């Protein structure tokens, strides 16, 4: 086995084994039966993109699923469930659909439907709430944002995708991949300095908190202070 293959197996082996086991369990059924929630998310995102690009549908999507920092908090929270499926108008929708299919699909198989949704919404909500805090701090404050960002629509599905990717990498020890994802998000902020990039970092921070909580919850009783053992829950298929 080549060095590259050994590195790939060490990095992605546990994740690959879990996905493969989850698909094998459904042998005899359509492979898509493994990810019904993911397929629903892809279809809803595609439908939302189509509707918001129509003259009759743009305002409707904005009213029910577009979240801006200028909105009252109660309204933003009310729109948040659908905002996860509202892709950016200025980016190709195929990229968003491919990301959702891949990352949500793997997460649904490995983590389960409800845990996947929980992590996705925590990541999305973290980005949304950060925008409000950043604008309150002002452009000259640490982590602050200019007031003009209050008019910008939040990141849609991308924050959820980034958050889920980081959680999966932590869960299955793909730490190099997690580092690459985080580095890419930091580079986005440095190169573009836009609201979306900063919301991605907020989503990552929130997911890392979830990782820490999960680590503490599943730490075996009596574990010594030197931290022996992984402390991770059993891998789920």
């Amino acid at each position: 086995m080549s060095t590259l293959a050994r590195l790939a197996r060490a990095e992605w082996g546990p994740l690959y084994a879990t996905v493969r086991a989850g698909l094998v369990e459904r042998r005899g059924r359509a492979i898509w039966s493994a990810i019904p929630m993911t397929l629903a998310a892809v279809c809803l995102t595609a439908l939302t993109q189509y509707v918001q690009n129509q003259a009759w549908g743009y305002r409707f999507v904005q009213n029910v699923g577009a979240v801006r920092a200028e909105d009252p908090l109660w309204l933003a929270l009310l729109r948040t469930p659908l905002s996860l499926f509202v892709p950016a108008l200025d980016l190709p929708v195929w990229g968003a659909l491919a990301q959702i299919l891949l990352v949500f699909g793997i997460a649904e198989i490995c983590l389960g439907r409800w845990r996947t949704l929980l992590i996705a919404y925590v990541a999305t909500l973290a980005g949304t709430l950060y925008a409000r805090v950043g604008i309150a701090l002002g452009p000259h404050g640490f982590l602050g944002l200019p007031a003009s960002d209050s008019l910008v629509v939040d990141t849609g599905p991308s924050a959820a995708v980034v958050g889920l990717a980081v959680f999966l990498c932590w869960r299955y020890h793909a730490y190099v991949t997690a580092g690459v994802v985080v580095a890419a998000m930091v580079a986005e902020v440095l190169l573009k300095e836009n609201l979306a990039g900063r919301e991605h970092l907020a989503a990552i921070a929130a997911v890392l908190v979830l990782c820490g909580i999960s680590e503490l919850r599943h730490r075996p009783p009596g574990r010594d202070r030197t931290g022996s053992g992984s402390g991770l829950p059993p891998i789920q298929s």
Side-chain angles (χ1 to χ4, degrees), residues 51-88:
V51 172
Q52 72 176 350
N53 276 282
Q54 308 305 310
W56 51 267
Y58 172 78
R59 181 50 54 190
F60 172 76
V61 172
Q62 293 294 300
N63 289 338
V64 300
V67 176
R68 297 177 177 84
E70 68 168 356
D71 298 330
L73 181 58
W74 67 268
L75 182 59
L77 295 177
L78 193 63
R79 290 174 174 174
T80 294
L82 187 59
S83 73
L84 183 61
F85 308 104
V86 179

PDB file of all heavy atoms in Angstrom, residues 51-88:
ATOM      1  N   VAL A  51     -38.272  29.262  -7.209  1.00  0.00           N
ATOM      2  CA  VAL A  51     -39.324  30.220  -6.862  1.00  0.00           C
ATOM      3  C   VAL A  51     -38.754  31.619  -6.693  1.00  0.00           C
ATOM      4  O   VAL A  51     -39.321  32.600  -7.190  1.00  0.00           O
ATOM      5  CB  VAL A  51     -40.059  29.765  -5.584  1.00  0.00           C
ATOM      6  CG1 VAL A  51     -41.029  30.857  -5.108  1.00  0.00           C
ATOM      7  CG2 VAL A  51     -40.820  28.468  -5.838  1.00  0.00           C
ATOM      8  N   GLN A  52     -37.600  31.747  -6.003  1.00  0.00           N
ATOM      9  CA  GLN A  52     -37.079  33.090  -5.740  1.00  0.00           C
ATOM     10  C   GLN A  52     -36.515  33.758  -6.994  1.00  0.00           C
ATOM     11  O   GLN A  52     -36.266  34.964  -6.995  1.00  0.00           O
ATOM     12  CB  GLN A  52     -36.022  33.050  -4.636  1.00  0.00           C
ATOM     13  CG  GLN A  52     -34.701  32.434  -5.019  1.00  0.00           C
ATOM     14  CD  GLN A  52     -33.683  32.537  -3.885  1.00  0.00           C
ATOM     15  OE1 GLN A  52     -33.909  33.223  -2.885  1.00  0.00           O
ATOM     16  NE2 GLN A  52     -32.568  31.859  -4.015  1.00  0.00           N
ATOM     17  N   ASN A  53     -36.318  32.991  -8.048  1.00  0.00           N
ATOM     18  CA  ASN A  53     -35.857  33.575  -9.307  1.00  0.00           C
ATOM     19  C   ASN A  53     -37.008  33.950 -10.240  1.00  0.00           C
ATOM     20  O   ASN A  53     -36.762  34.384 -11.368  1.00  0.00           O
ATOM     21  CB  ASN A  53     -34.913  32.616 -10.027  1.00  0.00           C
ATOM     22  CG  ASN A  53     -33.487  32.730  -9.530  1.00  0.00           C
ATOM     23  OD1 ASN A  53     -32.764  33.651  -9.891  1.00  0.00           O
ATOM     24  ND2 ASN A  53     -33.095  31.806  -8.661  1.00  0.00           N
ATOM     25  N   GLN A  54     -38.237  33.770  -9.765  1.00  0.00           N
ATOM     26  CA  GLN A  54     -39.401  34.181 -10.533  1.00  0.00           C
ATOM     27  C   GLN A  54     -39.906  35.534 -10.026  1.00  0.00           C
ATOM     28  O   GLN A  54     -39.805  35.827  -8.828  1.00  0.00           O
ATOM     29  CB  GLN A  54     -40.526  33.140 -10.414  1.00  0.00           C
ATOM     30  CG  GLN A  54     -40.090  31.721 -10.731  1.00  0.00           C
ATOM     31  CD  GLN A  54     -39.450  31.593 -12.094  1.00  0.00           C
ATOM     32  OE1 GLN A  54     -40.005  32.050 -13.100  1.00  0.00           O
ATOM     33  NE2 GLN A  54     -38.285  30.959 -12.147  1.00  0.00           N
ATOM     34  N   ALA A  55     -40.423  36.312 -10.920  1.00  0.00           N
ATOM     35  CA  ALA A  55     -40.924  37.633 -10.524  1.00  0.00           C
ATOM     36  C   ALA A  55     -42.014  37.526  -9.461  1.00  0.00           C
ATOM     37  O   ALA A  55     -42.101  38.362  -8.554  1.00  0.00           O
ATOM     38  CB  ALA A  55     -41.461  38.369 -11.759  1.00  0.00           C
ATOM     39  N   TRP A  56     -42.820  36.483  -9.553  1.00  0.00           N
ATOM     40  CA  TRP A  56     -43.923  36.320  -8.600  1.00  0.00           C
ATOM     41  C   TRP A  56     -43.480  35.668  -7.291  1.00  0.00           C
ATOM     42  O   TRP A  56     -44.217  35.698  -6.297  1.00  0.00           O
ATOM     43  CB  TRP A  56     -45.024  35.462  -9.217  1.00  0.00           C
ATOM     44  CG  TRP A  56     -44.524  34.160  -9.801  1.00  0.00           C
ATOM     45  CD1 TRP A  56     -44.160  33.932 -11.089  1.00  0.00           C
ATOM     46  CD2 TRP A  56     -44.303  32.934  -9.107  1.00  0.00           C
ATOM     47  NE1 TRP A  56     -43.731  32.627 -11.254  1.00  0.00           N
ATOM     48  CE2 TRP A  56     -43.810  31.996 -10.046  1.00  0.00           C
ATOM     49  CE3 TRP A  56     -44.470  32.522  -7.775  1.00  0.00           C
ATOM     50  CZ2 TRP A  56     -43.483  30.684  -9.703  1.00  0.00           C
ATOM     51  CZ3 TRP A  56     -44.151  31.226  -7.430  1.00  0.00           C
ATOM     52  CH2 TRP A  56     -43.662  30.318  -8.384  1.00  0.00           C
ATOM     53  N   GLY A  57     -42.278  35.064  -7.264  1.00  0.00           N
ATOM     54  CA  GLY A  57     -41.883  34.300  -6.091  1.00  0.00           C
ATOM     55  C   GLY A  57     -40.802  34.918  -5.228  1.00  0.00           C
ATOM     56  O   GLY A  57     -40.609  34.499  -4.084  1.00  0.00           O
ATOM     57  N   TYR A  58     -40.095  35.917  -5.768  1.00  0.00           N
ATOM     58  CA  TYR A  58     -38.969  36.475  -5.023  1.00  0.00           C
ATOM     59  C   TYR A  58     -39.412  37.040  -3.677  1.00  0.00           C
ATOM     60  O   TYR A  58     -38.834  36.723  -2.632  1.00  0.00           O
ATOM     61  CB  TYR A  58     -38.289  37.563  -5.851  1.00  0.00           C
ATOM     62  CG  TYR A  58     -37.236  38.320  -5.082  1.00  0.00           C
ATOM     63  CD1 TYR A  58     -35.979  37.756  -4.867  1.00  0.00           C
ATOM     64  CD2 TYR A  58     -37.501  39.589  -4.560  1.00  0.00           C
ATOM     65  CE1 TYR A  58     -35.012  38.448  -4.137  1.00  0.00           C
ATOM     66  CE2 TYR A  58     -36.544  40.276  -3.837  1.00  0.00           C
ATOM     67  CZ  TYR A  58     -35.305  39.704  -3.634  1.00  0.00           C
ATOM     68  OH  TYR A  58     -34.363  40.385  -2.910  1.00  0.00           O
ATOM     69  N   ARG A  59     -40.423  37.887  -3.697  1.00  0.00           N
ATOM     70  CA  ARG A  59     -40.869  38.515  -2.462  1.00  0.00           C
ATOM     71  C   ARG A  59     -41.388  37.492  -1.465  1.00  0.00           C
ATOM     72  O   ARG A  59     -41.174  37.609  -0.249  1.00  0.00           O
ATOM     73  CB  ARG A  59     -41.943  39.557  -2.780  1.00  0.00           C
ATOM     74  CG  ARG A  59     -42.478  40.312  -1.563  1.00  0.00           C
ATOM     75  CD  ARG A  59     -41.372  40.875  -0.698  1.00  0.00           C
ATOM     76  NE  ARG A  59     -40.429  41.701  -1.455  1.00  0.00           N
ATOM     77  CZ  ARG A  59     -39.287  42.135  -0.960  1.00  0.00           C
ATOM     78  NH1 ARG A  59     -38.921  41.813   0.263  1.00  0.00           N
ATOM     79  NH2 ARG A  59     -38.496  42.888  -1.709  1.00  0.00           N
ATOM     80  N   PHE A  60     -42.058  36.457  -1.959  1.00  0.00           N
ATOM     81  CA  PHE A  60     -42.581  35.415  -1.067  1.00  0.00           C
ATOM     82  C   PHE A  60     -41.441  34.715  -0.322  1.00  0.00           C
ATOM     83  O   PHE A  60     -41.499  34.529   0.898  1.00  0.00           O
ATOM     84  CB  PHE A  60     -43.385  34.392  -1.872  1.00  0.00           C
ATOM     85  CG  PHE A  60     -43.793  33.180  -1.080  1.00  0.00           C
ATOM     86  CD1 PHE A  60     -44.827  33.259  -0.169  1.00  0.00           C
ATOM     87  CD2 PHE A  60     -43.120  31.967  -1.233  1.00  0.00           C
ATOM     88  CE1 PHE A  60     -45.195  32.149   0.583  1.00  0.00           C
ATOM     89  CE2 PHE A  60     -43.481  30.855  -0.507  1.00  0.00           C
ATOM     90  CZ  PHE A  60     -44.520  30.953   0.410  1.00  0.00           C
ATOM     91  N   VAL A  61     -40.384  34.324  -1.044  1.00  0.00           N
ATOM     92  CA  VAL A  61     -39.252  33.648  -0.404  1.00  0.00           C
ATOM     93  C   VAL A  61     -38.571  34.576   0.593  1.00  0.00           C
ATOM     94  O   VAL A  61     -38.180  34.161   1.688  1.00  0.00           O
ATOM     95  CB  VAL A  61     -38.246  33.153  -1.464  1.00  0.00           C
ATOM     96  CG1 VAL A  61     -36.971  32.631  -0.797  1.00  0.00           C
ATOM     97  CG2 VAL A  61     -38.870  32.063  -2.323  1.00  0.00           C
ATOM     98  N   GLN A  62     -38.433  35.853   0.232  1.00  0.00           N
ATOM     99  CA  GLN A  62     -37.828  36.807   1.151  1.00  0.00           C
ATOM    100  C   GLN A  62     -38.642  36.922   2.437  1.00  0.00           C
ATOM    101  O   GLN A  62     -38.080  37.038   3.538  1.00  0.00           O
ATOM    102  CB  GLN A  62     -37.730  38.183   0.479  1.00  0.00           C
ATOM    103  CG  GLN A  62     -36.767  38.230  -0.692  1.00  0.00           C
ATOM    104  CD  GLN A  62     -35.326  38.010  -0.277  1.00  0.00           C
ATOM    105  OE1 GLN A  62     -34.787  38.764   0.507  1.00  0.00           O
ATOM    106  NE2 GLN A  62     -34.710  36.967  -0.794  1.00  0.00           N
ATOM    107  N   ASN A  63     -39.938  36.885   2.314  1.00  0.00           N
ATOM    108  CA  ASN A  63     -40.806  37.066   3.476  1.00  0.00           C
ATOM    109  C   ASN A  63     -40.817  35.866   4.409  1.00  0.00           C
ATOM    110  O   ASN A  63     -41.038  36.009   5.610  1.00  0.00           O
ATOM    111  CB  ASN A  63     -42.238  37.374   3.033  1.00  0.00           C
ATOM    112  CG  ASN A  63     -42.374  38.762   2.445  1.00  0.00           C
ATOM    113  OD1 ASN A  63     -41.555  39.646   2.699  1.00  0.00           O
ATOM    114  ND2 ASN A  63     -43.404  38.977   1.637  1.00  0.00           N
ATOM    115  N   VAL A  64     -40.596  34.673   3.869  1.00  0.00           N
ATOM    116  CA  VAL A  64     -40.714  33.468   4.698  1.00  0.00           C
ATOM    117  C   VAL A  64     -39.368  32.828   5.031  1.00  0.00           C
ATOM    118  O   VAL A  64     -39.287  32.021   5.967  1.00  0.00           O
ATOM    119  CB  VAL A  64     -41.616  32.412   4.025  1.00  0.00           C
ATOM    120  CG1 VAL A  64     -43.015  32.959   3.797  1.00  0.00           C
ATOM    121  CG2 VAL A  64     -41.021  31.903   2.712  1.00  0.00           C
ATOM    122  N   GLY A  65     -38.291  33.177   4.288  1.00  0.00           N
ATOM    123  CA  GLY A  65     -37.050  32.457   4.527  1.00  0.00           C
ATOM    124  C   GLY A  65     -35.776  33.264   4.492  1.00  0.00           C
ATOM    125  O   GLY A  65     -34.691  32.706   4.714  1.00  0.00           O
ATOM    126  N   ALA A  66     -35.844  34.570   4.243  1.00  0.00           N
ATOM    127  CA  ALA A  66     -34.637  35.392   4.195  1.00  0.00           C
ATOM    128  C   ALA A  66     -34.433  36.063   5.546  1.00  0.00           C
ATOM    129  O   ALA A  66     -35.318  36.754   6.048  1.00  0.00           O
ATOM    130  CB  ALA A  66     -34.744  36.447   3.099  1.00  0.00           C
ATOM    131  N   VAL A  67     -33.263  35.837   6.142  1.00  0.00           N
ATOM    132  CA  VAL A  67     -32.963  36.391   7.465  1.00  0.00           C
ATOM    133  C   VAL A  67     -31.880  37.446   7.333  1.00  0.00           C
ATOM    134  O   VAL A  67     -30.821  37.203   6.762  1.00  0.00           O
ATOM    135  CB  VAL A  67     -32.497  35.285   8.431  1.00  0.00           C
ATOM    136  CG1 VAL A  67     -32.091  35.881   9.770  1.00  0.00           C
ATOM    137  CG2 VAL A  67     -33.596  34.251   8.622  1.00  0.00           C
ATOM    138  N   ARG A  68     -32.167  38.638   7.869  1.00  0.00           N
ATOM    139  CA  ARG A  68     -31.205  39.739   7.904  1.00  0.00           C
ATOM    140  C   ARG A  68     -31.072  40.227   9.340  1.00  0.00           C
ATOM    141  O   ARG A  68     -32.014  40.118  10.128  1.00  0.00           O
ATOM    142  CB  ARG A  68     -31.657  40.893   7.011  1.00  0.00           C
ATOM    143  CG  ARG A  68     -31.761  40.542   5.526  1.00  0.00           C
ATOM    144  CD  ARG A  68     -32.285  41.736   4.745  1.00  0.00           C
ATOM    145  NE  ARG A  68     -32.353  41.489   3.317  1.00  0.00           N
ATOM    146  CZ  ARG A  68     -33.380  40.871   2.721  1.00  0.00           C
ATOM    147  NH1 ARG A  68     -34.420  40.455   3.439  1.00  0.00           N
ATOM    148  NH2 ARG A  68     -33.369  40.677   1.419  1.00  0.00           N
ATOM    149  N   ALA A  69     -29.933  40.797   9.653  1.00  0.00           N
ATOM    150  CA  ALA A  69     -29.709  41.282  11.011  1.00  0.00           C
ATOM    151  C   ALA A  69     -30.632  42.443  11.364  1.00  0.00           C
ATOM    152  O   ALA A  69     -30.855  42.722  12.545  1.00  0.00           O
ATOM    153  CB  ALA A  69     -28.255  41.693  11.182  1.00  0.00           C
ATOM    154  N   GLU A  70     -31.151  43.145  10.370  1.00  0.00           N
ATOM    155  CA  GLU A  70     -32.049  44.264  10.647  1.00  0.00           C
ATOM    156  C   GLU A  70     -33.436  43.795  11.066  1.00  0.00           C
ATOM    157  O   GLU A  70     -34.217  44.575  11.611  1.00  0.00           O
ATOM    158  CB  GLU A  70     -32.171  45.149   9.407  1.00  0.00           C
ATOM    159  CG  GLU A  70     -32.904  44.497   8.246  1.00  0.00           C
ATOM    160  CD  GLU A  70     -33.261  45.484   7.153  1.00  0.00           C
ATOM    161  OE1 GLU A  70     -32.996  46.689   7.330  1.00  0.00           O
ATOM    162  OE2 GLU A  70     -33.799  45.056   6.117  1.00  0.00           O
ATOM    163  N   ASP A  71     -33.750  42.516  10.832  1.00  0.00           N
ATOM    164  CA  ASP A  71     -35.064  41.992  11.185  1.00  0.00           C
ATOM    165  C   ASP A  71     -35.214  41.883  12.701  1.00  0.00           C
ATOM    166  O   ASP A  71     -34.233  41.626  13.421  1.00  0.00           O
ATOM    167  CB  ASP A  71     -35.271  40.597  10.582  1.00  0.00           C
ATOM    168  CG  ASP A  71     -35.225  40.600   9.066  1.00  0.00           C
ATOM    169  OD1 ASP A  71     -35.601  41.625   8.470  1.00  0.00           O
ATOM    170  OD2 ASP A  71     -34.811  39.577   8.482  1.00  0.00           O
ATOM    171  N   PRO A  72     -36.422  42.048  13.227  1.00  0.00           N
ATOM    172  CA  PRO A  72     -36.645  41.764  14.649  1.00  0.00           C
ATOM    173  C   PRO A  72     -36.231  40.320  14.954  1.00  0.00           C
ATOM    174  O   PRO A  72     -36.391  39.427  14.116  1.00  0.00           O
ATOM    175  CB  PRO A  72     -38.155  41.971  14.814  1.00  0.00           C
ATOM    176  CG  PRO A  72     -38.548  42.855  13.679  1.00  0.00           C
ATOM    177  CD  PRO A  72     -37.639  42.511  12.539  1.00  0.00           C
ATOM    178  N   LEU A  73     -35.695  40.090  16.130  1.00  0.00           N
ATOM    179  CA  LEU A  73     -35.175  38.758  16.464  1.00  0.00           C
ATOM    180  C   LEU A  73     -36.252  37.688  16.353  1.00  0.00           C
ATOM    181  O   LEU A  73     -35.985  36.580  15.849  1.00  0.00           O
ATOM    182  CB  LEU A  73     -34.587  38.773  17.876  1.00  0.00           C
ATOM    183  CG  LEU A  73     -33.979  37.446  18.347  1.00  0.00           C
ATOM    184  CD1 LEU A  73     -32.869  37.002  17.410  1.00  0.00           C
ATOM    185  CD2 LEU A  73     -33.470  37.578  19.776  1.00  0.00           C
ATOM    186  N   TRP A  74     -37.462  37.992  16.806  1.00  0.00           N
ATOM    187  CA  TRP A  74     -38.523  36.986  16.753  1.00  0.00           C
ATOM    188  C   TRP A  74     -38.833  36.595  15.321  1.00  0.00           C
ATOM    189  O   TRP A  74     -39.101  35.421  15.024  1.00  0.00           O
ATOM    190  CB  TRP A  74     -39.792  37.519  17.441  1.00  0.00           C
ATOM    191  CG  TRP A  74     -40.455  38.675  16.727  1.00  0.00           C
ATOM    192  CD1 TRP A  74     -40.245  39.996  16.937  1.00  0.00           C
ATOM    193  CD2 TRP A  74     -41.415  38.589  15.665  1.00  0.00           C
ATOM    194  NE1 TRP A  74     -41.016  40.759  16.086  1.00  0.00           N
ATOM    195  CE2 TRP A  74     -41.750  39.923  15.299  1.00  0.00           C
ATOM    196  CE3 TRP A  74     -42.041  37.532  15.001  1.00  0.00           C
ATOM    197  CZ2 TRP A  74     -42.661  40.214  14.289  1.00  0.00           C
ATOM    198  CZ3 TRP A  74     -42.954  37.816  13.995  1.00  0.00           C
ATOM    199  CH2 TRP A  74     -43.262  39.141  13.646  1.00  0.00           C
ATOM    200  N   LEU A  75     -38.760  37.574  14.407  1.00  0.00           N
ATOM    201  CA  LEU A  75     -39.033  37.282  13.000  1.00  0.00           C
ATOM    202  C   LEU A  75     -37.895  36.459  12.394  1.00  0.00           C
ATOM    203  O   LEU A  75     -38.133  35.530  11.617  1.00  0.00           O
ATOM    204  CB  LEU A  75     -39.220  38.589  12.229  1.00  0.00           C
ATOM    205  CG  LEU A  75     -39.557  38.450  10.741  1.00  0.00           C
ATOM    206  CD1 LEU A  75     -40.845  37.663  10.544  1.00  0.00           C
ATOM    207  CD2 LEU A  75     -39.667  39.833  10.093  1.00  0.00           C
ATOM    208  N   ALA A  76     -36.659  36.792  12.760  1.00  0.00           N
ATOM    209  CA  ALA A  76     -35.514  36.033  12.258  1.00  0.00           C
ATOM    210  C   ALA A  76     -35.586  34.580  12.715  1.00  0.00           C
ATOM    211  O   ALA A  76     -35.335  33.654  11.933  1.00  0.00           O
ATOM    212  CB  ALA A  76     -34.214  36.680  12.737  1.00  0.00           C
ATOM    213  N   LEU A  77     -35.956  34.375  13.979  1.00  0.00           N
ATOM    214  CA  LEU A  77     -36.062  33.006  14.491  1.00  0.00           C
ATOM    215  C   LEU A  77     -37.193  32.259  13.804  1.00  0.00           C
ATOM    216  O   LEU A  77     -37.095  31.046  13.561  1.00  0.00           O
ATOM    217  CB  LEU A  77     -36.282  33.036  16.006  1.00  0.00           C
ATOM    218  CG  LEU A  77     -35.117  33.593  16.832  1.00  0.00           C
ATOM    219  CD1 LEU A  77     -35.496  33.645  18.299  1.00  0.00           C
ATOM    220  CD2 LEU A  77     -33.866  32.746  16.627  1.00  0.00           C
ATOM    221  N   LEU A  78     -38.260  32.972  13.479  1.00  0.00           N
ATOM    222  CA  LEU A  78     -39.392  32.346  12.802  1.00  0.00           C
ATOM    223  C   LEU A  78     -39.017  31.925  11.386  1.00  0.00           C
ATOM    224  O   LEU A  78     -39.477  30.892  10.888  1.00  0.00           O
ATOM    225  CB  LEU A  78     -40.564  33.328  12.770  1.00  0.00           C
ATOM    226  CG  LEU A  78     -41.943  32.775  12.386  1.00  0.00           C
ATOM    227  CD1 LEU A  78     -42.403  31.738  13.398  1.00  0.00           C
ATOM    228  CD2 LEU A  78     -42.958  33.897  12.285  1.00  0.00           C
ATOM    229  N   ARG A  79     -38.148  32.703  10.743  1.00  0.00           N
ATOM    230  CA  ARG A  79     -37.738  32.390   9.381  1.00  0.00           C
ATOM    231  C   ARG A  79     -36.572  31.395   9.304  1.00  0.00           C
ATOM    232  O   ARG A  79     -36.312  30.825   8.241  1.00  0.00           O
ATOM    233  CB  ARG A  79     -37.318  33.684   8.668  1.00  0.00           C
ATOM    234  CG  ARG A  79     -38.461  34.633   8.366  1.00  0.00           C
ATOM    235  CD  ARG A  79     -37.920  35.939   7.803  1.00  0.00           C
ATOM    236  NE  ARG A  79     -38.992  36.830   7.375  1.00  0.00           N
ATOM    237  CZ  ARG A  79     -38.794  38.076   6.965  1.00  0.00           C
ATOM    238  NH1 ARG A  79     -37.558  38.574   6.935  1.00  0.00           N
ATOM    239  NH2 ARG A  79     -39.814  38.823   6.577  1.00  0.00           N
ATOM    240  N   THR A  80     -35.885  31.200  10.411  1.00  0.00           N
ATOM    241  CA  THR A  80     -34.667  30.382  10.389  1.00  0.00           C
ATOM    242  C   THR A  80     -34.873  28.968   9.861  1.00  0.00           C
ATOM    243  O   THR A  80     -34.041  28.477   9.085  1.00  0.00           O
ATOM    244  CB  THR A  80     -34.039  30.336  11.794  1.00  0.00           C
ATOM    245  OG1 THR A  80     -33.590  31.646  12.144  1.00  0.00           O
ATOM    246  CG2 THR A  80     -32.851  29.396  11.834  1.00  0.00           C
ATOM    247  N   PRO A  81     -35.946  28.243  10.232  1.00  0.00           N
ATOM    248  CA  PRO A  81     -36.091  26.886   9.697  1.00  0.00           C
ATOM    249  C   PRO A  81     -36.056  26.818   8.177  1.00  0.00           C
ATOM    250  O   PRO A  81     -35.412  25.928   7.606  1.00  0.00           O
ATOM    251  CB  PRO A  81     -37.447  26.442  10.260  1.00  0.00           C
ATOM    252  CG  PRO A  81     -37.580  27.199  11.539  1.00  0.00           C
ATOM    253  CD  PRO A  81     -36.980  28.546  11.248  1.00  0.00           C
ATOM    254  N   LEU A  82     -36.704  27.753   7.502  1.00  0.00           N
ATOM    255  CA  LEU A  82     -36.700  27.730   6.043  1.00  0.00           C
ATOM    256  C   LEU A  82     -35.444  28.378   5.468  1.00  0.00           C
ATOM    257  O   LEU A  82     -35.013  28.026   4.367  1.00  0.00           O
ATOM    258  CB  LEU A  82     -37.938  28.437   5.486  1.00  0.00           C
ATOM    259  CG  LEU A  82     -38.125  28.342   3.966  1.00  0.00           C
ATOM    260  CD1 LEU A  82     -38.223  26.885   3.517  1.00  0.00           C
ATOM    261  CD2 LEU A  82     -39.353  29.119   3.513  1.00  0.00           C
ATOM    262  N   SER A  83     -34.820  29.285   6.226  1.00  0.00           N
ATOM    263  CA  SER A  83     -33.636  29.972   5.708  1.00  0.00           C
ATOM    264  C   SER A  83     -32.513  28.999   5.392  1.00  0.00           C
ATOM    265  O   SER A  83     -31.648  29.279   4.555  1.00  0.00           O
ATOM    266  CB  SER A  83     -33.143  31.022   6.715  1.00  0.00           C
ATOM    267  OG  SER A  83     -32.525  30.415   7.837  1.00  0.00           O
ATOM    268  N   LEU A  84     -32.516  27.856   6.049  1.00  0.00           N
ATOM    269  CA  LEU A  84     -31.506  26.829   5.792  1.00  0.00           C
ATOM    270  C   LEU A  84     -31.552  26.335   4.358  1.00  0.00           C
ATOM    271  O   LEU A  84     -30.561  25.822   3.834  1.00  0.00           O
ATOM    272  CB  LEU A  84     -31.728  25.661   6.760  1.00  0.00           C
ATOM    273  CG  LEU A  84     -30.740  24.498   6.732  1.00  0.00           C
ATOM    274  CD1 LEU A  84     -29.340  24.980   7.064  1.00  0.00           C
ATOM    275  CD2 LEU A  84     -31.176  23.424   7.698  1.00  0.00           C
ATOM    276  N   PHE A  85     -32.684  26.511   3.701  1.00  0.00           N
ATOM    277  CA  PHE A  85     -32.871  25.982   2.348  1.00  0.00           C
ATOM    278  C   PHE A  85     -33.025  27.085   1.301  1.00  0.00           C
ATOM    279  O   PHE A  85     -33.536  26.845   0.216  1.00  0.00           O
ATOM    280  CB  PHE A  85     -34.093  25.059   2.322  1.00  0.00           C
ATOM    281  CG  PHE A  85     -34.055  24.004   3.389  1.00  0.00           C
ATOM    282  CD1 PHE A  85     -34.846  24.116   4.530  1.00  0.00           C
ATOM    283  CD2 PHE A  85     -33.199  22.930   3.275  1.00  0.00           C
ATOM    284  CE1 PHE A  85     -34.802  23.147   5.522  1.00  0.00           C
ATOM    285  CE2 PHE A  85     -33.139  21.953   4.263  1.00  0.00           C
ATOM    286  CZ  PHE A  85     -33.933  22.076   5.393  1.00  0.00           C
ATOM    287  N   VAL A  86     -32.602  28.296   1.659  1.00  0.00           N
ATOM    288  CA  VAL A  86     -32.657  29.416   0.718  1.00  0.00           C
ATOM    289  C   VAL A  86     -31.235  29.709   0.244  1.00  0.00           C
ATOM    290  O   VAL A  86     -30.453  30.340   0.956  1.00  0.00           O
ATOM    291  CB  VAL A  86     -33.268  30.674   1.361  1.00  0.00           C
ATOM    292  CG1 VAL A  86     -33.295  31.818   0.355  1.00  0.00           C
ATOM    293  CG2 VAL A  86     -34.670  30.380   1.871  1.00  0.00           C
ATOM    294  N   PRO A  87     -30.853  29.258  -0.954  1.00  0.00           N
ATOM    295  CA  PRO A  87     -29.472  29.468  -1.435  1.00  0.00           C
ATOM    296  C   PRO A  87     -29.252  30.904  -1.859  1.00  0.00           C
ATOM    297  O   PRO A  87     -30.197  31.649  -2.146  1.00  0.00           O
ATOM    298  CB  PRO A  87     -29.377  28.509  -2.630  1.00  0.00           C
ATOM    299  CG  PRO A  87     -30.783  28.383  -3.125  1.00  0.00           C
ATOM    300  CD  PRO A  87     -31.669  28.483  -1.908  1.00  0.00           C
ATOM    301  N   ALA A  88     -27.986  31.297  -1.904  1.00  0.00           N
ATOM    302  CA  ALA A  88     -27.633  32.654  -2.315  1.00  0.00           C
ATOM    303  C   ALA A  88     -27.987  32.874  -3.778  1.00  0.00           C
ATOM    304  O   ALA A  88     -27.740  32.013  -4.629  1.00  0.00           O
ATOM    305  CB  ALA A  88     -26.140  32.892  -2.097  1.00  0.00           C
TER     306      ALA A  88
END
